[in-house]
Amino acid sequence: MSPVSTTSSRVIYDALKACGIRLMSALPETWLVHLIRMAEDDPEMILVRLAKEEEGVGISAGAHLAGVKSAMLMQNHGLLASINGIVSCAQLYRIPLLMLVSYRGELGERDPWQTEGGGVTEDILRALRIPFVMLEQPDHVAQRIADAQTLALASNKPVALLLRRGLMIEEDGAGRAGGAGR
Amino acid sequence: MKRIDALTAVYSRLQDRIVVTIMGAVAAELQSIGHRPNFFYLQHAMGLASSMGLGIALCRPDRQVIVLDGDGSLLMNLGGLTTLARYRPRNLVHVVFDNESLLSVGGFPTATSTGSDLAAIAKAAGVPRTATARTLDEFTRAFDEALAAGELTTIVAKVEAVGPSAFVTDLGLLENRFQFQRYLAP
């Protein structure tokens, strides 16, 4: 049984649809499985499965210039893997990017291989001057995603939403849930 | 074959198609032949020109998209070939100018100079049509066949490691970007 919350994933997916997102790029990671399946099952959504997250920056840039709103789904390690693309494609060319980043490696993380990325994620985003906000509770998801998209489009710049454990994982209180990721 | 001659030979076919190029000699030479609002030059982010082309091709299936890539750039995003092949947009032609070197930073040899075969890699990645062109005639034939085929094609054009004397042009990066977006607006 997957500990990843289907309910929260649905709230996030519906919020993305409400913002007019028609293309998603994704690299699978445990917390994102439901979101990726929802995109796969949605005939209105173009889902692009990537080999590496940085490709998603190029795909979103192409989509934006072609008039299509897109979102990128990735783990925070995928954000680290995308930095050159973010700087030298999205920021250099003023491309809005809506990045949904699963925030692995925070308190409660049980997978040893996820524990370094969590500690650098927010500092990296600040260093890149990328505005970001946490998605922690289902009741603020829709507003925060809409606000992030508004700012991304108004500024023509990347904006990040950090998907936190409390939103994405059910029955996490005792730290039992985890699941392998990348 | 010189890249500038290859670009000149197919320039008339680029005029009404969406074109995305890499940085360096390809961008400078295409601009020297003649910039058009439907040409976008990705002047950094090496490797992502093919990903941008894929994004445009998936979003605008009504338009034919040409990506003008290079060996150094493609080698930075070989995984992207598997993504291209996975979605294999029928409206995308992927040209790789392979001069076996990183020309704009001093001409240091890339791995294609020691035997790595990008057309074979593209084919093995699952790109449905691939070709290698060593002469101008071979290139123009392969290019026209790819345009007519209506199937994702990667053409590796083996070109001499020579280029323009300068790489900076008078076209601003953002001017190019917004002009291109306006051109693409439905």
Side-chain angles (χ1 to χ4, degrees), chain A residues 75-130:
Chain A
Q75 193 183 83
N76 44 357
H77 294 84
L79 170 72
L80 302 186
S82 304
I83 289 175
N84 184 54
I86 290 169
V87 173
S88 65
C89 178
Q91 293 182 330
L92 184 65
Y93 280 100
R94 299 299 295 256
I95 303 289
L97 290 181
L98 188 64
M99 302 190 293
L100 280 83
V101 181
S102 60
Y103 197 168
R104 303 300 304 267
E106 274 200 292
L107 291 153
E109 180 66 59
R110 295 183 74 225
D111 293 340
W113 45 89
Q114 303 290 9
T115 54
E116 281 300 313
V120 302
T121 300
E122 292 181 51
D123 287 338
I124 292 281
L125 286 167
R126 285 191 192 95
L128 295 173
R129 291 166 285 126
I130 295 175

Side-chain angles (χ1 to χ4, degrees), chain A residues 7 17 31 57 74 89 103 105 130 145 161 173 180:
Chain A
T7 314
K17 286 293 295 266
W31 291 14
V57 178
M74 63 184 128
C89 178
Y103 197 168
I130 295 175
I145 288 180
L161 294 149

Side-chain angles (χ1 to χ4, degrees), chain B:
Chain B
M1 170 170 42
K2 287 194 173 71
R3 182 184 39 249
I4 182 94
D5 295 333
L7 287 168
T8 304
V10 299
Y11 184 79
S12 64
R13 282 77 140 183
L14 304 181
Q15 290 194 36
D16 298 314
R17 294 184 166 95
I18 296 166
V19 178
V20 177
T21 82
I22 57 166
M23 68 190 303
V26 180
E29 288 181 349
L30 185 57
Q31 287 179 50
S32 75
I33 301 167
H35 170 64
R36 297 182 59 85
N38 45 309
F39 296 173
F40 177 77
Y41 318 93
L42 183 60
Q43 296 281 18
H44 210 319
M46 282 180 71
L48 293 189
S50 56
S51 302
M52 271 194 76
L54 174 62
I56 296 169
L58 291 173
C59 293
R60 293 297 300 271
D62 56 314
R63 298 295 305 266
Q64 214 159 15
V65 180
I66 315 288
V67 171
L68 302 177
D69 212 336
D71 53 310
S73 286
L74 184 55
L75 285 165
M76 290 197 194
N77 187 14
L78 283 178
L81 277 175
T82 67
T83 309
L84 281 186
R86 190 169 199 167
Y87 298 95
R88 54 187 71 185
R90 304 176 70 85
N91 56 333
L92 181 60
V93 177
H94 180 214
V95 175
V96 185
F97 289 114
D98 180 5
N99 61 12
E100 303 187 355
S101 74
L102 292 160
L103 184 69
S104 63
V105 289
F108 294 98
T110 67
T112 64
S113 73
T114 51
S116 296
D117 181 341
L118 292 171
I121 291 170
K123 185 180 172 66
V127 173
R129 296 182 79 255
T130 60
T132 299
R134 294 176 189 282
T135 66
L136 208 50
D137 281 349
E138 283 175 10
F139 175 67
T140 50
R141 197 178 320 122
F143 191 79
D144 285 336
E145 284 171 5
L147 289 178
E151 199 166 30
L152 173 65
T153 305
T154 295
I155 301 168
V156 176
K158 299 293 271 189
V159 294
E160 294 171 39
V162 291
S165 53
F167 297 100
V168 177
T169 70
D170 63 1
L171 179 66
L173 274 59
L174 291 177
E175 180 184 6
N176 176 219
R177 170 246 188 271
F178 284 103
Q179 182 186 51
F180 182 71
Q181 182 179 25
R182 210 168 284 285
Y183 171 85
L184 282 181

